[in-house]
Amino acid sequence: MPSNPSPVMNQVSLTINGQSVVAAAGTSLLNAAKAAGIDLPHLCYDPRVEAIGSCRLCGVKVEGMRGIVSGCAQTVAAGMKVITEDAELARQRKHTLELLLSDHCSTCMGCDKSGACRLQDYAYRYGADQNRFGVVLAKPPARNFTTLNKGILFAADKCIRCGLCVKYCETVQMAEALTFSKRGSQMVVTTPLDENLHETSCEACGGCIRVCPVGAMLDKAAVGKGRESDLTRVKTICPYCGVGCQMDLLVDKQRNRIVRATSSPDAPINGGNLCVKGHFGFDYVNSPERLTHPLIRTADGFRQATWEEAIGFVGRRLREIRDQHGPDALAFVSSARCPNEENYLVQKLARTAGATNNVDNCATSCHAPTVAGLAAAFGSGAMTNSVGEIKDCAVMFLIGANPTEAHPIIGLEMKRALRRGAKLIVCDPRKTWLAQRAHIHIQHRPGSDNMLLNAILRCILDEGLADQEFIANRCEGFKEFERNLQGIAVEAAAEYCGVEAELIRAAARLYALGKPSAIYYTLGITEHSCGTDNVKNVANLAMLTGQIGKWASGVNPLRGQNNVQGACDMGAMANKLPGYQDWSDPVVRAKFEKAWGVSLPQNKGSKVPLFITAAGRGELKALYIVGEDLVATEPNQTKVIEDLSKLELLVCQEIFMSETAKLAHVIFPSACWAEKDGTFSASERRMQLIRKAVEPPGEAKADWEILCLVSTAMGYPMQYQNPSQIFDEMVSLAPIFGGMSHQRIGDRGLQWPCPTPEHPGTPFLHNGKFTRGKGKFHAITFHPQKEEPCAEYPLILSTGRTLYNYNCGNMTRKAAVINQRDPGNFVEIHPDTAARYGIRRDEKIVVRTRRGKVTGRAVVGDRVRPDIIWMPFHFAEEPTNNITNDVFDPVTATAEYKCCAAQLEKL
Amino acid sequence: MSAPEQCRIIFRHIDEPGYSNDLACYVRHGGYEILKKSVAMKPEAIVDEVKKSGLRGRGGAGFGCGLKWSLLDRKSGKPVYLIVNADESEPGTFKDRYIIHQDPHQLLEGIMITCFANNVKLAYIYIRGEFPHGARILEKAIAEARAANFVGPNILGTAYGCEIYIHRGAGAYICGEETGLIESLEGKRPNPRIKPPYFPAVLGLYQCPTIVNNVETLCHVKHIADMGGEAFSKIGTPGNTGTRILCVSGHVQHPGYYEFEVGKITMGQLLNDVCGGPLPGRKFKAVIPGGSSAKILKFGERFKGKRKVGAEMVDYDWGVEDVPMDFDSLGMIGTMGGSGGVIVMDDSVNMVEALANINAFYAHESCGQCTPCREGSLWMKKITSRMVHGTARTEDAALLKSVADQIPGRTICAFGEACSWPTQSFLAKFGDEFKQYPETKKAAKPAGALELV
């Protein structure tokens, strides 16, 4: 096993207060002291932000250096002798604190921050006099830039003007919404021109709240709901995208409520950063719309039922259908929102009690082409590198990815890389935030990805930039791949893509010569009828240049849901058993059959879109869905509803009455993410613990408990004490997770492969050797999208996620902050197109495709090309997926969400 | 001993009848000849001459100019920038303005020689926002020099080229602090940068190595290139070479600017012989020798100690009048040469009111970034203001001192020193006034006046 190959820092020795300390070169004195257990007082330092040095509390004495040295800015040097506390320093700190207090509303008894306020702590530690200057503070202005904000409250009279919020906003989030205005003692935190915060470039990430050392920036909704010391801190993982941000929920146990969310700088992936969804997106947990009792369909709706009745009914009906119609008559949809343990149980339930391989998860609608394509090329379908490596990239190559909105914390790391001088190539039909700052932005037309990639590959070959040694030693299939590219002409390809050939050449050079370069892609690559081909071609690009299998170099699909990686890891798909073991391998089958005490089903199994069409044809009789809203998220909604309505039995485990649940025969109320224990697999293959923070509402149960009950009722008894026990069973059957346990995962997580209890986990894959042995080149022929623009539908409609909302929106849209920023459906239109149709900004318009129509507000701007319109799909009342195209990738059945032909109409 | 003659090098032609600030006049007086000579030299040779000259920066800190240049990170592969600090904001200082108004081409020639010597391709003149006229003069001068091929690409037919741009400040004292200036030039708030790591010679403008020099300093570079470092170092006194422009303001008969060899003239000679002494019927009470932030000197106080003259140490026993006007002597007696702004006060001045005025200035000009300065300058202002308005408390003089004592050495930039030295020195030398004056004011306090501010 290779040791962690990150760049090694030189260590230096120094003494702090007579104590010998060893620290990495470049460490600040403050951090070196902290590591040695010495707490240097500081208000304006936060590990998330570059040192500011404004509070002047961390000053220390260093032998041989003049005056007081800033502990946060001065780095360690060999042989340094540092004094952090003496009478003079204490006197100075006391005085500085008194100055701060002279200008600070010190009504600690009414402050939410009390008990967790560093100013309060230091004032106590150094005995600062609150009223040494004899002053009565003027009242702050009655309103400020947060008065109308739903999430953030700025208490001007508590602000100590340390600058952390401003610096965070400017340099970490790079939103530049907060600033200082005026100077000297008049200096005040505000927004440009004192505008309302929610009307500025603020992205509502809550960073200002998380870094504020005092009670000046607060969660508005949490004010008065409990001070830090009254609340219990629960470390868990964010329930939204696949980045895997660790967060702390502050919980009022007595009232069973999450009061607010934050994150600590030592969080493994996100380093204490969160996006708007992570920071503010938990309102849904306490929503009155939560399902609290099992529901059974009646003629005119639903009736409340007991658990006994509902479970008994479902168990009996599933058994009957299985026995009557065989394994292909029932299917199970697992949830990428649920922890690994529950995904494991869903597929176990399907393969034991259900006796079918008809199990799938939502990866099919997003990253199934990744799993298929990268497995074919490399042998392993996951992010090859870690989030922490992004900052060390010399060149980032993004294609079909908009991380600053869809994976905001990975976006944050890319911003950090940019600040450190990385070069950026973005291939995207839209001018995303990163595209606007890219060194090369290739704005190709949707659906032309393979044409573009082939052209880039051709340039690399033409210019002799291929890594011949890597190809010879590590790869196979090169000859055929090279032959296939012979027919490609860069000029012609560029014309088809609608970009300049010179841009393609420049991108090819920049990527090939980067030391190192890494590829990041998302659904812009996979959600096409040629998604798997796209992925394979991305893999070709990395192999051709040898940009894989190294620190900060590889191919990185950014996974969509919090646990879509885990749903795949757990084998919640037809052709794989947990740990990506082949369903057809007799050795593997024997192992599982022995452990589970059943003979494994023989049917091939199918995928979500095919379940739906099978239901429409009457072949599928029963569908069991855990936490998925197929109606809202599958393409061509009208058809989906029609098909699902034909089922004999539709069972949903849900937290809300989703669009799909409305069609169900039985609905089981589930505990949500904050109400149970388990593990999520982050996109970077890191398994992390989620922990129960509050009790579920009413009679809702954790999904694993419900699954055990259903399985038992079907005649296959399942009993577990807790999720940890389920995890242990899973681990014993899946060698790549063999060394893991809840206890080992702890607060830091573990990255698979991790085969033995001693194994430290794997930050990046394919070091020295691909998982499948040799990397395999694939010769890719370009196939255009299934629906080309025509006279009747002259535009290309592309869809995607916004920063604020998440997928079907039934979690995020319960949050006031999010609704303030992203209230309803919209259509991005180029100004030329808008002019052609006579459409004005903010006008409500209709988008029509061959499948139907949907409305949205017109957002006119040059983020899109003139031949494209773009829409999000978060809004149930204006469902964009009503009109997306239900044509699928032949390998993975992933729908072509990213392009179909459309027409605009005025309302 | 009567005062020595002025030694006008930079001001050689200023005030000459008929001397104008256009290029033709400058060239008629031998202008740009030294640039022509310089571009034929090796750049390193010019740097060596500047090092040999012992030239110290004229902006305020008196840092060795050659040393500053030698700290440049020349291996980074990044461009090197020159920034001309023309943000002359220190109260009592008005030398750079005269150079810019009356002899702008002298500055431009100095800039071009400095740029050539340090391989700078782009120089910025950061000029104070309150100097719109100066900015216009410089714009015109640069246009003339560019047309005459002294500035711009391939100057004087060589392969070397350099552009000069004017950037106007927006009215903040802190923009004179070199890292604050850089931030401002980058389009941000002029918050001085924390050191380390932001030493301009390594990480300056746009994170590139940058030289920041004062206007007067750069003019001297021209003369060093002309006469050679060695000859320059013979002017003035050892360690305090060359000439220096002294701007005298306040209660003297003939205020104005005077250029003397550094250290060759004493304070007494300057004020009495050159500036004509105090106003009729008045006596000198105090003088601030290097811009308002320099510590004040009280007429009548004595300074004793040992100083180095040549190789030996000799005793000195000076009154204010005896102090030579050079960096080291003024430093020895606890103040500084600073920016050369000599502010004279006679016995009509109330020191509490004078300090309240200075403190109001610094409280207004603090950038607000770091605590001791932002809050400290505010409290020094508030307390002196209380004294002036008769609302001070008995303990306020002691409080004032404790605030001032906690600022120097504790802030991100030297503004901390600049704002606290006046209070420290006023209190140390005129402490009695600070005890008596508030009491007399209190007695005269009008009914219904506000209490503490």
Side-chain angles (χ1 to χ4, degrees):
Chain A
M1 170 57 208
S3 59
N4 186 341
S6 62
V8 181
M9 289 280 189
N10 294 328
Q11 302 282 313
V12 297
S13 311
L14 64 158
T15 62
I16 303 180
N17 299 344
Q19 182 181 338
S20 290
V21 173
V22 178
T27 309
S28 68
L29 290 179
L30 188 145
N31 280 331
K34 191 176 178 194
I38 300 163
D39 178 27
L40 258 183
H42 59 275
L43 290 167
C44 72
Y45 175 75
D46 185 284
R48 288 167 276 219
V49 179
E50 199 183 311
I52 297 172
S54 69
C55 76
R56 313 316 286 172
L57 280 179
C58 69
V60 295
K61 293 177 177 171
V62 180
E63 199 176 284
M65 292 178 82
R66 206 158 51 93
I68 304 297
V69 176
S70 287
C72 60
Q74 180 64 49
T75 50
V76 293
M80 243 181 193
K81 290 194 173 63
V82 183
I83 300 291
T84 69
E85 289 287 347
D86 67 10
E88 190 191 350
L89 289 170
R91 198 166 53 244
Q92 288 183 354
R93 287 176 188 152
K94 175 174 181 285
H95 179 82
T96 303
L97 289 162
E98 284 166 346
L99 284 173
L100 284 172
L101 292 171
S102 78
D103 202 9
H104 179 86
C105 172
S106 313
T107 48
C108 292
M109 50 288 267
C111 182
D112 283 78
K113 196 79 174 187
S114 185
C117 170
R118 296 217 298 274
L119 180 62
Q120 194 185 45
D121 293 348
Y122 298 143
Y124 178 79
R125 189 196 294 181
Y126 293 101
D129 179 354
Q130 282 197 21
N131 203 16
R132 185 163 153 230
F133 294 88
V135 68
V136 181
L137 285 175
K139 272 212 159 150
R143 54 163 290 142
N144 66 34
F145 59 95
T146 61
T147 305
L148 298 177
N149 199 280
K150 299 277 188 202
I152 299 168
L153 172 74
F154 176 60
D157 53 346
K158 301 256 175 64
C159 178
I160 55 167
R161 293 172 281 189
C162 66
L164 270 175
C165 55
V166 173
K167 190 102 171 183
Y168 186 92
C169 194
E170 181 186 319
T171 66
V172 179
Q173 189 66 24
M174 293 171 83
E176 298 180 329
L178 291 180
T179 183
F180 276 120
S181 92
K182 303 187 184 162
R183 67 190 182 203
S185 59
Q186 303 294 307
M187 187 171 80
V188 62
V189 173
T190 184
T191 53
L193 306 173
D194 299 329
E195 283 195 340
N196 289 321
L197 184 61
H198 66 278
E199 290 164 351
T200 66
S201 52
C202 169
E203 292 172 357
C205 68
C208 46
I209 300 171
R210 291 192 299 279
V211 298
C212 183
V214 297
M217 285 282 184
L218 296 169
D219 286 284
K220 198 173 250 183
V223 169
K225 303 238 165 63
R227 292 163 298 178
E228 187 111 353
S229 51
D230 307 329
L231 304 172
T232 310
R233 203 172 255 262
V234 180
K235 218 172 250 311
T236 189
I237 304 301
C238 175
Y240 290 101
C241 77
V243 175
C245 299
Q246 192 180 65
M247 61 198 290
D248 298 340
L249 297 177
L250 287 143
V251 182
D252 183 340
K253 286 280 184 190
Q254 228 166 2
R255 292 188 179 79
N256 195 38
R257 282 184 84 87
I258 300 170
V259 172
R260 59 190 179 90
T262 184
S263 181
S264 142
D266 53 20
I269 295 175
N270 52 315
N273 302 310
L274 292 173
C275 73
V276 54
K277 300 184 282 284
H279 192 104
F280 292 108
F282 59 84
D283 290 5
Y284 77 92
V285 176
N286 297 329
S287 164
E289 293 170 39
R290 284 287 300 276
L291 299 176
T292 52
H293 292 84
L295 298 173
I296 294 181
R297 170 172 294 284
T298 59
D300 53 354
F302 289 95
R303 69 173 168 84
Q304 207 165 302
T306 63
W307 274 102
E308 210 178 352
E309 184 194 359
I311 293 282
F313 175 76
V314 169
R316 181 169 51 79
R317 289 294 293 134
L318 284 172
R319 221 168 43 225
E320 285 166 8
I321 291 168
R322 175 194 67 193
D323 294 344
Q324 228 168 31
H325 301 284
D328 280 327
L330 72 173
F332 294 80
V333 178
S334 188
S335 174
R337 321 288 290 135
C338 287
N340 287 322
E341 292 73 5
E342 294 171 355
N343 274 284
Y344 173 79
L345 286 194
V346 175
Q347 63 86 35
K348 185 178 174 186
L349 171 69
R351 287 176 168 130
T352 55
T356 179
N357 276 319
N358 272 338
V359 56
D360 201 11
N361 71 78
C362 73
T364 292
S365 63
C366 59
H367 264 301
T370 292
V371 179
L374 291 189
F378 305 148
S380 185
M383 236 175 125
T384 62
N385 300 76
S386 304
V387 175
E389 293 167 46
I390 295 173
K391 65 178 189 306
D392 294 322
C393 291
V395 177
M396 297 179 286
F397 184 101
L398 269 66
I399 181 161
N402 181 15
T404 54
E405 294 200 62
H407 302 86
I409 301 307
I410 284 179
L412 224 56
E413 288 300 309
M414 291 178 174
K415 292 172 182 176
R416 188 205 303 265
L418 278 181
R419 287 199 305 279
R420 287 166 59 119
K423 296 278 192 291
L424 176 64
I425 304 164
V426 176
C427 308
D428 201 304
R430 291 166 78 211
K431 278 187 197 154
T432 59
W433 193 98
L434 283 168
Q436 285 172 31
R437 287 149 183 89
H439 299 84
I440 298 173
H441 177 204
I442 297 180
Q443 200 171 3
H444 60 309
R445 57 174 272 187
S448 67
D449 305 270
N450 263 333
M451 185 68 92
L452 174 67
L453 286 166
N454 276 342
I456 292 175
L457 293 164
R458 178 76 255 165
C459 292
I460 290 170
L461 284 173
D462 287 349
E463 303 197 10
L465 300 172
D467 186 341
Q468 295 298 346
E469 199 186 321
F470 187 90
I471 295 165
N473 296 336
R474 301 271 315 262
C475 307
E476 61 188 22
F478 181 66
K479 284 248 157 61
E480 199 197 330
F481 162 78
E482 195 184 19
R483 204 175 314 121
N484 179 56
L485 286 178
Q486 276 166 4
I488 304 290
V490 178
E491 255 59 12
E495 197 183 328
Y496 181 83
C497 299
V499 297
E500 283 175 35
E502 208 33 60
L503 267 189
I504 295 179
R505 292 204 175 87
R509 276 175 225 129
L510 188 59
Y511 171 77
L513 298 173
K515 286 183 175 37
S517 300
I519 301 175
Y520 298 87
Y521 73 86
T522 315
L523 306 185
I525 280 295
T526 59
E527 283 183 349
H528 289 282
S529 53
C530 55
T532 306
D533 280 356
N534 283 349
V535 171
K536 286 176 178 170
N537 228 2
V538 168
N540 286 340
L541 179 58
M543 288 188 288
L544 184 65
T545 49
Q547 297 281 19
I548 186 165
K550 295 182 286 189
W551 180 261
S553 180
V555 175
N556 297 288
L558 311 178
R559 303 303 297 258
Q561 286 84 3
N562 56 321
N563 201 33
V564 68
Q565 182 66 49
C568 298
D569 292 352
M570 294 303 112
M573 46 192 175
N575 61 343
K576 296 282 180 196
L577 286 162
Y580 302 97
Q581 298 174 87
D582 213 329
W583 161 83
S584 56
D585 181 337
V587 181
V588 172
R589 285 180 72 88
K591 177 170 68 176
F592 278 91
E593 287 179 346
K594 182 159 176 265
W596 291 349
V598 292
S599 53
L600 287 184
Q602 296 286 353
N603 65 329
K604 260 186 75 187
S606 189
K607 296 172 189 306
V608 170
L610 306 175
F611 295 161
I612 298 171
T613 47
R617 290 192 306 272
E619 291 162 19
L620 188 80
K621 311 284 183 196
L623 185 57
Y624 192 111
I625 303 174
V626 182
E628 273 285 329
D629 190 354
L630 298 184
V631 172
T633 56
E634 291 297 314
N636 197 357
Q637 191 172 97
T638 321
K639 178 99 190 338
V640 172
I641 294 173
E642 197 183 301
D643 288 354
L644 290 181
S645 305
K646 292 184 181 153
L647 285 164
E648 281 181 25
L649 177 68
L650 176 60
V651 183
C652 286
Q653 289 182 203
E654 255 302 347
I655 60 173
F656 288 113
M657 183 59 79
S658 68
E659 297 302 308
T660 309
K662 285 176 188 161
L663 305 176
H665 299 93
V666 180
I667 307 171
F668 295 126
S670 298
C672 78
W673 131 96
E675 296 155 357
K676 58 193 178 190
D677 293 319
T679 55
F680 287 163
S681 297
S683 201
E684 63 164 25
R685 298 168 280 103
R686 187 186 297 270
M687 287 201 187
Q688 304 186 96
L689 288 186
I690 62 159
R691 296 183 177 89
K692 181 170 178 171
V694 287
E695 294 297 330
E699 291 179 9
K701 285 181 192 296
D703 290 287
W704 65 270
E705 293 174 299
I706 304 171
L707 292 165
C708 287
L709 291 173
V710 169
S711 182
T712 308
M714 283 179 76
Y716 181 84
M718 266 194 211
Q719 262 180 337
Y720 298 94
Q721 297 301 312
N722 51 43
S724 171
Q725 215 180 19
I726 306 171
F727 192 83
D728 291 343
E729 177 184 313
M730 181 279 293
V731 159
S732 71
L733 292 166
I736 56 169
F737 313 124
M740 293 186 174
S741 64
H742 277 198
Q743 201 203 340
R744 263 202 86 192
I745 288 171
D747 284 345
R748 304 298 304 165
L750 265 175
Q751 284 175 283
W752 64 258
C754 175
T756 61
E758 300 77 40
H759 195 285
T762 310
F764 66 86
L765 300 176
H766 316 308
N767 186 6
K769 184 170 171 281
F770 284 102
T771 309
R772 71 182 288 279
K774 292 226 167 184
K776 185 167 176 14
F777 280 103
H778 290 88
I780 302 297
T781 315
F782 171 70
H783 295 289
Q785 71 232 47
K786 296 288 186 214
E787 221 179 55
E788 292 275 7
C790 58
E792 196 182 346
Y793 298 102
L795 298 164
I796 303 175
L797 166 68
S798 193
T799 65
R801 283 203 316 227
T802 69
L803 168 65
Y804 298 97
N805 270 307
Y806 188 82
N807 287 9
C808 66
N810 77 16
M811 289 158 71
T812 45
R813 295 191 70 206
K814 310 268 185 308
V817 184
I818 288 170
N819 278 332
Q820 187 172 34
R821 301 308 301 263
D822 193 14
N825 208 8
F826 61 89
V827 191
E828 285 184 358
I829 309 169
H830 191 274
D832 295 352
T833 315
R836 207 164 63 236
Y837 286 91
I839 290 168
R840 286 186 318 275
R841 209 182 95 176
D842 288 340
E843 183 180 346
K844 196 92 161 171
I845 53 164
V846 176
V847 180
R848 181 186 291 282
T849 71
R850 291 190 172 86
R851 289 152 295 282
K853 61 178 185 175
V854 70
T855 54
R857 181 172 57 90
V859 174
V860 179
D862 68 349
R863 267 190 99 180
V864 288
R865 292 160 46 122
D867 54 348
I868 299 171
I869 53 174
W870 184 93
M871 295 176 81
F873 55 87
H874 307 303
F875 306 95
E877 68 281 10
E878 294 172 306
T880 301
N881 278 327
N882 214 354
I883 60 171
T884 44
N885 196 2
D886 52 342
V887 293
F888 301 96
D889 179 276
V891 183
T892 63
T894 303
E896 193 153 66
Y897 292 99
K898 292 296 177 192
C899 47
C900 66
Q903 174 66 296
L904 287 178
E905 283 166 20
K906 302 218 3 152
L907 196 63
Chain B
M1 195 172 72
S2 68
E5 282 298 306
Q6 284 201 60
C7 174
R8 287 195 161 203
I9 295 177
I10 291 175
F11 279 177
R12 180 178 297 159
H13 302 298
I14 287 180
D15 297 340
E16 260 178 33
Y19 190 80
S20 60
N21 60 19
D22 55 289
L23 180 69
C25 175
Y26 186 65
V27 169
R28 240 184 356 261
H29 288 77
Y32 289 109
E33 287 304 316
I34 302 160
L35 177 62
K36 286 179 194 161
K37 180 182 133 191
S38 298
V39 294
M41 291 170 71
K42 279 205 157 107
E44 306 80 52
I46 302 173
V47 176
D48 280 343
E49 291 301 323
V50 172
K51 280 187 197 160
K52 264 190 258 171
S53 74
L55 173 65
R56 294 172 70 165
R58 301 297 197 243
F63 194 79
C65 181
L67 181 56
K68 199 177 219 178
W69 294 4
S70 69
L71 296 175
L72 266 187
D73 179 2
R74 292 171 203 270
K75 295 199 181 89
S76 66
K78 299 182 199 169
V80 178
Y81 294 107
L82 171 72
I83 299 174
V84 183
N85 188 343
D87 191 73
E88 185 175 55
S89 313
E90 185 71 27
T93 316
F94 42 85
K95 62 193 175 66
D96 297 340
R97 176 156 49 129
Y98 275 95
I99 297 171
I100 290 165
H101 280 207
Q102 313 216 9
D103 208 359
H105 284 285
Q106 179 178 205
L107 171 61
L108 297 187
E109 191 171 5
I111 291 171
M112 290 306 291
I113 294 168
T114 303
C115 289
F116 177 76
N118 293 290
N119 195 26
V120 173
K121 304 284 168 57
L122 198 51
Y124 291 94
I125 302 177
Y126 188 99
I127 186 164
R128 197 178 161 183
E130 292 87 337
F131 288 175
H133 188 48
R136 279 194 291 273
I137 291 169
L138 281 171
E139 292 281 9
K140 175 170 158 270
I142 291 169
E144 286 175 336
R146 190 179 285 121
N149 198 217
F150 296 127
V151 171
N154 303 92
I155 58 163
L156 302 166
T158 65
Y160 176 75
C162 177
E163 282 297 339
I164 304 175
Y165 293 112
I166 307 282
H167 183 95
R168 289 186 56 193
Y173 174 81
I174 199 64
C175 291
E177 200 279 344
E178 59 182 8
T179 57
L181 187 157
I182 288 170
E183 289 279 301
S184 170
L185 193 51
E186 288 183 0
K188 307 182 203 148
R189 272 177 78 83
N191 284 0
R193 294 174 175 178
I194 189 161
K195 287 144 264 188
Y198 299 113
F199 294 106
V202 182
L203 291 173
L205 184 62
Y206 309 123
Q207 303 293 306
C208 296
T210 302
I211 309 170
V212 185
N213 276 150
N214 171 260
V215 169
E216 186 188 349
T217 313
L218 289 167
C219 293
H220 279 304
V221 170
K222 171 194 151 174
H223 300 290
I224 293 165
D226 180 19
M227 65 179 85
E230 186 142 358
F232 187 89
S233 73
K234 299 222 166 75
I235 304 170
T237 52
N240 292 275
T241 59
T243 63
R244 144 138 256 211
I245 301 167
L246 299 168
C247 316
V248 185
S249 60
H251 298 144
V252 289
Q253 302 262 13
H254 310 299
Y257 45 83
Y258 303 95
E259 185 175 358
F260 287 96
E261 287 185 62
V262 189
K264 289 280 175 73
I265 187 168
T266 64
M267 182 69 87
Q269 290 167 335
L270 176 69
L271 299 189
N272 290 315
D273 304 343
V274 179
C275 298
L279 296 173
R282 290 289 173 190
K283 282 191 302 197
F284 290 138
K285 181 173 182 181
V287 59
I288 301 174
S292 66
S293 59
K295 290 192 175 178
I296 196 166
L297 300 173
K298 178 181 180 179
F299 282 87
E301 62 178 327
R302 305 292 302 174
F303 308 98
K304 292 178 190 171
K306 282 186 187 300
R307 65 178 187 132
K308 211 169 172 186
V309 175
E312 42 186 311
M313 299 297 287
V314 296
D315 287 316
Y316 67 86
D317 179 3
W318 289 332
V320 173
E321 296 85 345
D322 309 320
V323 183
M325 297 296 285
D326 65 63
F327 294 104
D328 294 339
S329 302
L330 287 164
M332 258 184 313
I333 63 164
T335 182
M336 64 173 181
S339 57
V342 180
I343 304 168
V344 188
M345 298 175 212
D346 67 20
D347 55 2
S348 68
V349 175
N350 178 295
M351 299 319 271
V352 180
E353 289 170 4
L355 182 63
N357 184 307
I358 293 176
N359 282 350
F361 172 79
Y362 285 107
H364 182 247
E365 295 295 347
S366 165
C367 80
Q369 189 179 198
C370 53
T371 315
C373 168
R374 177 185 69 239
E375 308 289 341
S377 63
L378 172 71
W379 280 108
M380 290 191 295
K381 171 192 145 177
K382 281 188 179 175
I383 296 168
T384 43
S385 162
R386 282 180 202 169
M387 290 173 168
V388 170
H389 291 102
T391 56
R393 307 176 298 184
T394 326
E395 63 267 34
D396 272 358
L399 186 62
L400 181 60
K401 181 173 184 313
S402 82
V403 174
D405 286 349
Q406 291 291 349
I407 303 174
R410 313 244 355 257
T411 51
I412 288 174
C413 76
F415 187 95
E417 281 79 10
C419 74
S420 54
W421 282 345
T423 298
Q424 284 182 321
S425 59
F426 274 63
L427 282 172
K429 294 176 183 179
F430 302 96
D432 291 347
E433 283 192 48
F434 283 82
K435 290 205 184 75
Q436 291 151 16
Y437 177 78
E439 293 305 320
T440 53
K441 280 302 244 191
K442 207 175 269 180
K445 191 177 76 171
L450 288 173
E451 287 301 320
L452 292 177
V453 185

